[in-house]
Amino acid sequence: MIRTHDLYAGYQDAFSIHCPDISFADGCLTAVVGENGSGKSTLLRTLAGIAAPVRGEAFASECACYCAAAVSSGKKVFADEPAGETAAAPAVLSGEENIFSMEPSIRARRISYLPQSRNVPEISAYRLVLHGRFPYLSWPRRYRKEDEEEAERCMQEMGVYTLRDRRLSDLSGGERQRVYLAMLLAQNAGNVLMDEPATYLDIHHQMRLMEMSKKLAAEGRCVIMVMHDLLMALQYADRIAVVSDQTVTEPMEPEKAFSSGILERTFGVRIGRISTADGWRYYYETVEGTAFGH
């Protein structure tokens, strides 16, 4: 779980987005949606501990199933650390740690983060996926057999195992994105943050991505995904948090996000839906007719 307390995120002390007392729950895929430039990526970078907050606090805990699995497999489960001081001195729940005061290695085991844009190192796809195992290595930094097996498993899950010996610079944008997603899986953190991960993916792999994300949430993890596709968010997400007027709303069920009209007010579009044997299917309405979506 990731929880915020009166968190203000931004750059160089300039506030751009406010995330009040909000909990991003374990076992949920939470979609964060908002207009371009509304601060979604800034929020995610801050929750990942990459960017310092303007003010406020954020806390991360491991999902219960993840901690139990770690104990049964012999992995170390880290003890609590005291939270840093804030203006309102928030209580720290059992199992929580202050994201901004965590040791980097501990934070990397707690939180995995896929940014929207990345450099392309001159290494093979397999070597990049192995980087996801780096937080688990002790000195000297040598990969173990279990790290190699986990990297291979994650590449197979993302359908990129046949690309393992290809250099990243030789891959297409969609292939490279799936390799990065395999690295994210290999990190095996209890809190998974993704910033527009469907970028460059064709529709088949977009759907596989959403199914994978649902699977991670079903395992008990906290999955937070910045999304632009409102229709896909309504169809797949367990909760939707909307960035409106520089403030993040409490994550709500897709039904509430649809029926409350907040998406239409925020984005200036009308969304309709039809009932099918597989559940609701959403579409954008136009003045002249209907443009069907997901």
Side-chain angles (χ1 to χ4, degrees):
M1 181 178 77
I2 289 181
R3 181 174 67 90
T4 64
H5 174 73
D6 199 27
L7 179 69
Y8 287 80
Y11 290 98
Q12 298 178 341
D13 296 328
F15 149 67
S16 63
I17 186 170
H18 179 212
C19 192
D21 293 11
I22 287 177
S23 292
F24 297 93
D26 291 338
C28 278
L29 167 57
T30 301
V32 178
V33 301
E35 293 184 296
N36 291 336
S38 60
K40 303 183 299 296
S41 295
T42 301
L43 171 66
L44 220 61
R45 282 175 53 82
T46 306
L47 294 179
I50 305 298
V54 175
R55 70 172 187 266
E57 300 292 342
F59 305 91
S61 60
E62 288 293 10
C63 62
C65 75
Y66 183 80
C67 287
V71 171
S72 64
S73 65
K75 296 178 182 178
K76 182 177 178 182
V77 179
F78 293 94
D80 296 345
E81 292 181 356
E85 292 184 1
T86 66
V92 180
L93 302 180
S94 176
E96 282 189 337
E97 294 185 54
N98 187 317
I99 290 173
F100 309 121
S101 62
M102 280 184 191
E103 290 291 332
S105 60
I106 297 177
R107 187 168 59 230
R109 296 188 188 201
R110 288 271 174 116
I111 303 171
S112 58
Y113 166 62
L114 184 70
Q116 185 177 21
S117 58
R118 299 161 301 278
N119 294 325
V120 182
E122 284 297 324
I123 60 176
S124 70
Y126 177 62
R127 181 60 58 179
L128 179 79
V129 177
L130 271 175
H131 284 184
R133 303 300 303 164
F134 199 79
Y136 300 94
L137 302 182
S138 57
W139 186 262
R141 306 287 189 181
R142 294 197 180 107
Y143 295 110
R144 304 156 298 179
K145 182 179 180 181
E146 62 194 84
D147 299 312
E148 295 170 348
E149 290 174 347
E150 182 67 8
E152 291 174 356
R153 184 192 67 79
C154 294
M155 294 190 80
Q156 289 171 344
E157 178 144 358
M158 290 309 304
V160 292
Y161 185 78
T162 58
L163 306 176
R164 57 173 288 155
D165 296 323
R166 298 268 302 277
R167 300 189 75 79
L168 288 174
S169 56
D170 294 335
L171 302 181
S172 70
E175 290 171 333
R176 195 180 304 136
Q177 185 74 343
R178 286 188 284 138
V179 171
Y180 274 102
L181 286 165
M183 180 185 68
L184 187 82
L185 290 179
Q187 193 171 338
N188 200 28
N191 301 283
V192 182
L193 280 56
M194 295 180 276
D195 192 351
E196 296 188 41
T199 303
Y200 304 118
L201 298 182
D202 56 39
I203 187 62
H204 169 71
H205 288 108
Q206 286 182 37
M207 295 176 71
R208 283 192 62 183
L209 165 69
M210 298 311 298
E211 290 164 0
M212 177 201 77
S213 302
K214 292 284 284 184
K215 177 183 175 183
L216 291 174
E219 292 172 355
R221 302 173 197 261
C222 168
V223 182
I224 306 173
M225 182 186 296
V226 168
M227 300 182 68
H228 266 308
D229 191 331
L230 300 180
L231 307 184
M232 192 164 279
L234 284 165
Q235 182 173 341
Y236 284 99
D238 300 302
R239 298 287 187 275
I240 297 176
V242 182
V243 181
S244 180
D245 297 325
Q246 293 185 291
T247 300
V248 184
T249 67
E250 182 74 27
M252 64 191 81
E253 293 184 355
E255 175 64 31
K256 182 176 180 181
F258 173 80
S259 60
S260 67
I262 188 171
L263 297 177
E264 297 183 357
R265 293 192 301 272
T266 300
F267 293 93
V269 297
R270 292 192 306 177
I271 300 174
R273 66 182 181 183
I274 56 176
S275 179
T276 73
D278 296 321
W280 292 111
R281 290 295 180 265
Y282 298 89
Y283 57 87
Y284 296 117
E285 293 182 344
T286 65
V287 174
E288 298 177 354
T290 300
F292 283 89
H294 300 291

